[in-house]
Amino acid sequence: MSVKSVTHLNFRGDARAALEFYQSVFGGDLAAVTYKDAGSVQDPAEADQVMWGQVVADNGFHVMAYDVPSRMPWERGENSFFVSLRGETTEEVTAYWEKLSAGATIAQQLAPAQWTPLYGMLTDRFGVVWVVDVVSEYNG
């Protein structure tokens, strides 16, 4: 038996735009169900917001997202989670980094690190913090 962990991102009205952006970076299929689609509209202004959504790509990328209804508390938070993106080659990681960095705030420029050929950290334009690196064996 195995288990899989999938990052689930919570937004306030930006879930569809975020999922579309991540699909543009990683490829794959985007699926989204709105509150209206599910027959779960409590605020007409939120009918077209995402109640459940995901992007799943053949390269292994998988993220889920939804729009937190206005009746529920929500804060974007700071450093409440990171999405860790690990690739097998510097070329693969660099390509994702270049796309993710569009409109992002760079905390650590993508560069060689003591423990990996490449490591970087950024906050994308949706407030999601990404740590990006090349998988390597740790020699500590």
Side-chain angles (χ1 to χ4, degrees), residues 8 15-16 19 30-35 37-38 49-56 62-67:
H8 190 284
R16 182 176 303 279
L19 289 168
L30 186 154
V33 175
T34 65
Y35 287 97
D37 294 337
Q49 290 186 357
V50 175
M51 184 173 133
W52 174 88
Q54 70 176 6
V55 172
V56 179
H62 186 181
V63 68
M64 297 173 68
Y66 96 116
D67 287 309

Side-chain angles (χ1 to χ4, degrees), residues 15-119:
R16 182 176 303 279
L19 289 168
E20 290 170 351
F21 174 66
Y22 299 138
Q23 181 186 35
S24 78
V25 172
F26 298 103
D29 298 314
L30 186 154
V33 175
T34 65
Y35 287 97
K36 180 172 54 180
D37 294 337
S40 186
V41 176
Q42 294 192 24
D43 179 344
E46 298 172 348
D48 292 324
Q49 290 186 357
V50 175
M51 184 173 133
W52 174 88
Q54 70 176 6
V55 172
V56 179
D58 290 340
N59 58 15
F61 180 80
H62 186 181
V63 68
M64 297 173 68
Y66 96 116
D67 287 309
V68 178
S70 60
R71 70 181 184 282
M72 297 173 63
W74 178 83
E75 289 185 37
R76 177 177 268 181
E78 289 188 35
N79 295 332
S80 56
F81 66 91
F82 295 154
V83 178
S84 175
L85 176 66
R86 309 190 83 205
E88 294 183 9
T89 68
T90 58
E91 293 81 12
E92 176 184 32
V93 166
T94 300
Y96 289 135
W97 176 268
E98 288 172 357
K99 292 177 184 178
L100 279 172
S101 62
T105 301
I106 308 298
Q108 175 68 45
Q109 196 59 248
L110 188 66
Q114 184 177 4
W115 64 92
T116 183
L118 283 179
Y119 169 83

